[in-house]
């Protein structure tokens, strides 16, 4: 007797349990709430290192499909990478660290971001709430420590506050004058159960950045522009942060005025444009320094009259009226009194200035700057940027950097450390577009280049990213090359190896009777050997010592895209950055080629 096999009848699945409606709270841990909030604000990259207090956040981070975590080798690298990401993309950069030493290692990059108005959010773990104030293991009052160097910071004591805190942190970092914001979260807050709902209600009483400028001030500025004989558009990094570069070009071409771009504004106005007279300041072009000194009107846009631009403030542009536009009212008249103060976003300010200047011109005003341009062109022709080949036949660092710029082109992104190589990169690479030049301007942080380039490359993977570094800077943060190798972030690093702390040596040469105290790094003796070091960190290491090999080595590096590349450019030890305005002196006392040369031997203005 046979038995028929019973036919399998599909059993319908039970109906899904009703879930919470869209936007309704769901139960999660504080750590899960943090990760969900980061996803909701559009964060796609976090640079950090786990540790005890922040560890609860790292578990749900593992499950995120949209937030990529990059495990750096030092928290300082995380902070600079977040800044590089932010400067290259215009988005908020994010870094994460544990309590105590992890958090304090973020102090330098946060101070750096604060000085340069870079939007960064730092998330730090903190000891559990009952331990706060007891000097517990790895406890540090990071909120108190960073209060002077952040735009805002907050200690979260209730897990329910996490979504609101993250939303507010990103809003604060990116709006108004951008800057770093720190969110400190105790470990037990991350572990506690809470509810998550998005979007949260932000509560920022008193925070109302002024974007639209006052119409009367705009009209007065337009009147001054159209009646000036020697105007200069003094452009700072705020123009790039505002996204106002197209409007700037329209204003410049409408007025015919010369444009100077500060160290933080390189790329805000094309170097190839005939109205661009260069970078002003301590190592600026003679034409740019002279233009500001002899102007009768300075229109400062997103700039702050810092000491590296003005030199001795009492002698700076003494005959110039000042129009100062900035989104931060605290900057207006802080260093130089503004005749026309304008608080507002540069995009709004420049757009309204264009309209007001056109109205003045339609009303009969005439701009005749021919005599001014005759003088400006004379300065440009008489004092062009340049350099001489070293007498000892060694490789010229200026030539190396100039060739990198020529071969990589204006679409590449260049991140620099701090020192002579930074100034040469600002001088001898041509910048045509915003967000192609990344450096530490206000704080002057050595070791910035490699991690910043890493962040820039992660944010703009299709761009070629070069770190222009010195042998001193490179030894501070080169461990992040291991991060780049493992995370497949193929940056290119040019180490300008002059064997010493070049800018310090230059000052010792000029002002300390050539007494070279503690500036010889020994790197010309290959201690360390940068090629071997690069290879040990998972990179391709190359070396170049002669001018005839420069282009070939750069091209070889450009052809490698599957791993980071480090080139050890062994250059002469005595190259110096010119022009130079010594600290504490006026811009009239500009040094050119080892001698103080008065700018205005024949004052034609």
């Amino acid at each position: 007797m046979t038995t028929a096999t019973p036919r399998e009848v599909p059993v319908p699945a039970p109906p899904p349990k009703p879930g919470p409606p869209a936007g309704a709270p769901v139960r999660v841990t504080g750590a899960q709430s943090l990760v969900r909030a980061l996803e909701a604000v559009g964060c796609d990259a976090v640079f950090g290192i786990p540790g005890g207090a922040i560890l609860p956040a790292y578990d749900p981070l593992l499950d995120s499909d949209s937030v990529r975590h990059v495990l750096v080798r030092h928290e300082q690298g995380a902070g600079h990478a977040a800044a590089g990401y932010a400067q290259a993309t215009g988005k908020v950069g994010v870094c994460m660290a544990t309590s105590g030493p992890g958090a304090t290692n973020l102090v330098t990059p946060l101070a750096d971001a604060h000085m340069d108005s870079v939007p960064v959010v730092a998330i730090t773990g903190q000891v559990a709430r009952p331990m706060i104030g007891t000097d517990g293991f790895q406890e540090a009052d990071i909120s108190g420590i960073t209060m002077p160097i952040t735009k805002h910071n907050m200690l979260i004591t209730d897990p329910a506050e996490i979504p609101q805190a993250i939303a507010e942190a990103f809003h604060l970092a990116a709006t108004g004058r951008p800057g770093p914001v720190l969110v400190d979260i105790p470990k037990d807050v991350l572990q506690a159960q809470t509810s998550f709902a998005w979007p949260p209600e932000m509560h920022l009483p008193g925070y109302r950045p002024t974007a639209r400028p006052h119409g009367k001030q705009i009209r007065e500025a337009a009147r001054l522009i159209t009646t000036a004989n020697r105007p200069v558009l003094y452009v700072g990094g705020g123009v790039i942060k505002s996204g106002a570069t197209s409007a700037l070009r329209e204003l410049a071409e409408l007025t015919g005025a010369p444009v100077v771009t500060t160290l933080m504004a390189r790329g805000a106005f094309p170097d190839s444009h005939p109205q661009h007279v260069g970078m002003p300041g301590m190592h600026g072009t003679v034409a740019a320094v002279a233009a500001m000194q002899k102007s009768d009107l300075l229109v400062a846009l997103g700039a702050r009259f810092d000491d590296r631009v003005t030199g001795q403030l009492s002698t700076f542009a003494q005959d110039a009226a000042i129009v100062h536009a900035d989104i931060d009212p605290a900057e207006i008249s802080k260093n130089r009194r503004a005749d026309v103060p304008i608080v507002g976003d540069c995009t709004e300010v420049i757009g309204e200035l264009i309209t007001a200047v056109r109205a003045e011109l339609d009303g009969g005003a005439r701009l005749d700057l021919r005599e001014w341009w005759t003088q400006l062109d004379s300065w440009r022709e008489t004092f062009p940027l340049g350099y001489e080949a070293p007498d000892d036949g060694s490789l010229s660092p200026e030539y190396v950097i100039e060739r990198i710029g020529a071969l990589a082109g204006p679409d590449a992104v260049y991140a620099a450390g701090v020192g002579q190589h930074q100034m040469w990169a600002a001088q001898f690479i041509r910048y045509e577009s915003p967000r192609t030049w990344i450096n530490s301007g206000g704080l002057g942080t050595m070791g910035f280049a490699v991690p910043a380039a890493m962040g820039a490359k992660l944010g703009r993977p299709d761009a070629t990213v070069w770190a222009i570094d010195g042998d001193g800077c490179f030894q501070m943060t080169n461990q992040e090359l291991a991060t780049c190798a493992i995370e497949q972030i193929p940056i290119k690093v040019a180490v300008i190896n002059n064997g010493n702390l070049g800018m310090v040596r230059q000052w010792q040469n000029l002002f300390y009777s050539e007494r070279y105290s503690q500036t010889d790094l020994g790197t010309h003796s290959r201690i360390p050997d940068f090629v071997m070091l690069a290879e040990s960190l998972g990179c391709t290491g190359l070396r170049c010592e002669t001018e005839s090999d420069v282009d070939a080595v750069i091209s070889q590096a450009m052809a490698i895209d599957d791993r980071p590349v480090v080139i050890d450019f062994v250059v002469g030890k005595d190259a110096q950055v010119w022009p130079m305005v010594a600290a504490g002196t006026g811009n009239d006392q500009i040094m050119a080629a080892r001698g103080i040369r008065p700018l205005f031997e024949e004052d034609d203005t």
Side-chain angles (χ1 to χ4, degrees):
M1 180 177 174
T2 59
T3 304
T5 302
R7 183 170 61 91
E8 293 184 4
V9 178
V11 178
K17 295 180 181 179
V26 295
R27 296 297 290 175
V28 293
T29 65
Q32 291 170 324
S33 179
L34 170 63
V35 173
R36 290 189 180 205
L38 290 173
E39 292 171 336
V41 294
C43 170
D44 59 9
V46 174
F47 303 90
I49 302 180
I54 197 65
L55 195 57
Y58 272 80
D59 185 66
L61 192 60
L62 188 65
D63 299 323
S64 178
D65 293 328
S66 58
V67 179
R68 176 180 177 181
H69 183 274
V70 175
L71 177 61
V72 297
R73 298 304 181 265
H74 192 285
E75 290 89 356
Q76 183 176 352
H80 291 322
Y85 173 96
Q87 288 197 49
T89 65
K91 298 190 291 185
V92 176
V94 183
C95 54
M96 189 178 291
T98 196
S99 62
T104 58
N105 280 341
L106 289 176
V107 168
T108 294
L110 288 174
D112 187 276
H114 184 65
M115 288 285 280
D116 287 344
S117 304
V118 180
V120 168
V121 168
I123 299 165
T124 53
Q126 183 55 273
V127 298
R129 285 170 292 184
M131 297 294 294
I132 293 176
T134 69
D135 291 334
F137 176 67
Q138 290 192 334
E139 180 186 0
D141 178 13
I142 196 61
S143 296
I145 290 168
T146 61
M147 189 174 291
I149 56 168
T150 52
K151 186 175 178 182
H152 186 61
N153 65 38
M154 54 193 95
L155 172 66
I156 308 305
T157 57
D158 183 345
E161 299 172 352
I162 290 174
Q164 178 184 345
I166 294 300
E168 290 177 352
F170 274 72
H171 178 71
L172 288 165
T175 58
R177 180 178 182 171
V181 178
L182 181 136
V183 181
D184 195 29
I185 311 177
K187 184 173 184 177
D188 63 324
V189 172
L190 290 169
Q191 294 170 321
Q193 288 291 313
T194 185
S195 296
F196 177 82
W198 196 270
E201 180 180 349
M202 290 194 291
H203 184 62
L204 296 169
Y207 181 70
R208 298 181 183 85
T210 301
R212 292 289 303 275
H214 194 285
K216 181 179 179 182
Q217 294 165 328
I218 290 289
R219 291 190 294 273
E220 177 60 17
R223 185 191 66 79
L224 288 177
I225 291 171
T226 54
T227 57
N229 294 313
R230 302 185 303 278
V232 172
L233 300 181
Y234 162 32
V235 176
V239 169
I240 292 177
K241 292 172 174 63
S242 173
T245 55
S246 295
L248 170 66
R249 181 165 184 162
E250 185 176 354
L251 176 65
E253 291 176 348
L254 175 65
T255 61
V259 178
V260 301
T261 52
T262 67
L263 183 66
M264 293 305 298
R266 303 292 286 115
F269 193 76
D271 280 359
S272 60
H273 197 287
Q275 286 173 243
H276 189 251
V277 295
M279 180 178 74
M282 176 174 277
H283 294 293
T285 65
V286 171
V289 173
M292 296 182 81
Q293 282 297 94
K294 298 303 270 186
S295 65
D296 63 2
L297 175 66
L298 283 179
V299 181
L301 302 167
R304 59 187 179 88
F305 290 87
D306 65 287
D307 62 288
R308 279 332 194 228
V309 167
T310 66
Q312 188 178 55
L313 195 59
S314 61
T315 64
F316 174 69
Q318 293 175 304
D319 297 329
I322 304 295
V323 172
H324 191 178
D326 201 285
I327 199 164
D328 185 355
E331 289 296 342
I332 307 291
S333 296
K334 183 177 78 175
N335 294 328
R336 174 69 179 263
R337 189 185 69 83
D339 297 284
V340 180
I342 303 175
V343 178
D345 180 86
C346 279
T347 297
E348 299 281 352
V349 170
I350 296 173
E352 295 198 18
L353 274 176
I354 290 168
T355 301
V357 168
R358 283 204 179 106
E360 290 287 327
L361 296 174
D362 291 343
R366 291 290 177 268
L367 276 164
D368 185 357
L369 304 182
R370 285 174 294 183
E371 288 189 18
W372 184 219
W373 274 109
T374 297
Q375 177 63 82
L376 293 167
D377 288 338
S378 174
W379 285 326
R380 286 202 285 200
E381 292 167 10
T382 306
F383 304 105
L385 273 178
Y387 55 90
E388 297 179 356
D391 294 335
D392 60 4
S394 58
L395 184 57
S396 162
E398 300 98 326
Y399 178 78
V400 169
I401 292 171
E402 188 175 52
R403 294 309 299 160
I404 291 172
L407 294 173
D411 293 330
V413 175
Y414 303 91
V418 169
Q420 289 180 315
H421 61 279
Q422 175 191 24
M423 294 299 106
W424 289 321
Q427 291 175 334
F428 293 108
I429 294 175
R430 305 281 286 178
Y431 300 98
E432 300 295 317
S433 305
R435 303 196 182 279
T436 55
W437 165 245
I438 297 170
N439 81 125
S440 170
L443 196 65
T445 307
M446 292 180 68
F448 178 84
V450 169
M454 175 173 66
K457 181 64 175 177
L458 188 75
R460 292 175 59 182
D462 295 334
T464 299
V465 178
W466 279 88
I468 311 294
D469 221 354
D471 47 341
C473 284
F474 183 65
Q475 292 186 82
M476 293 189 174
T477 53
N478 62 52
Q479 67 271 12
E480 299 308 337
L481 287 171
T483 308
C484 292
I486 290 170
E487 296 281 346
Q488 297 183 322
I489 304 173
I491 65 170
K492 306 182 193 304
V493 183
V495 181
I496 308 302
N497 178 3
N498 63 3
N500 56 77
L501 298 171
M503 190 63 85
V504 181
R505 180 184 170 91
Q506 177 167 335
W507 281 53
Q508 289 172 335
N509 176 277
L510 296 172
F511 309 119
Y512 291 87
S513 305
E514 301 182 23
R515 289 167 54 83
Y516 299 122
S517 174
Q518 307 306 315
T519 48
D520 187 343
L521 292 169
T523 47
H524 275 184
S525 301
R526 297 189 184 177
I527 304 175
D529 185 314
F530 290 137
V531 172
M532 294 178 64
L533 178 62
E535 296 283 351
S536 73
L537 292 170
C539 309
T540 294
L542 305 172
R543 179 172 287 115
C544 180
E545 300 183 73
T546 62
E547 185 173 306
S548 60
D549 291 335
V550 168
D551 281 17
V553 174
I554 294 171
S555 297
Q556 185 179 353
M558 294 281 288
I560 299 171
D561 287 324
D562 61 346
R563 71 191 80 94
V565 183
V566 176
I567 309 175
D568 178 15
F569 286 104
V570 182
V571 301
K573 65 181 180 180
D574 291 320
Q576 297 190 347
V577 183
W578 305 108
M580 177 180 178
V581 178
T585 66
N587 284 349
D588 289 345
Q589 299 302 108
I590 191 165
M591 292 183 181
R594 298 180 180 273
I596 296 178
R597 170 182 282 176
L599 272 180
F600 314 115
E601 292 176 333
E602 295 181 7
D603 189 348
D604 297 330
T605 60

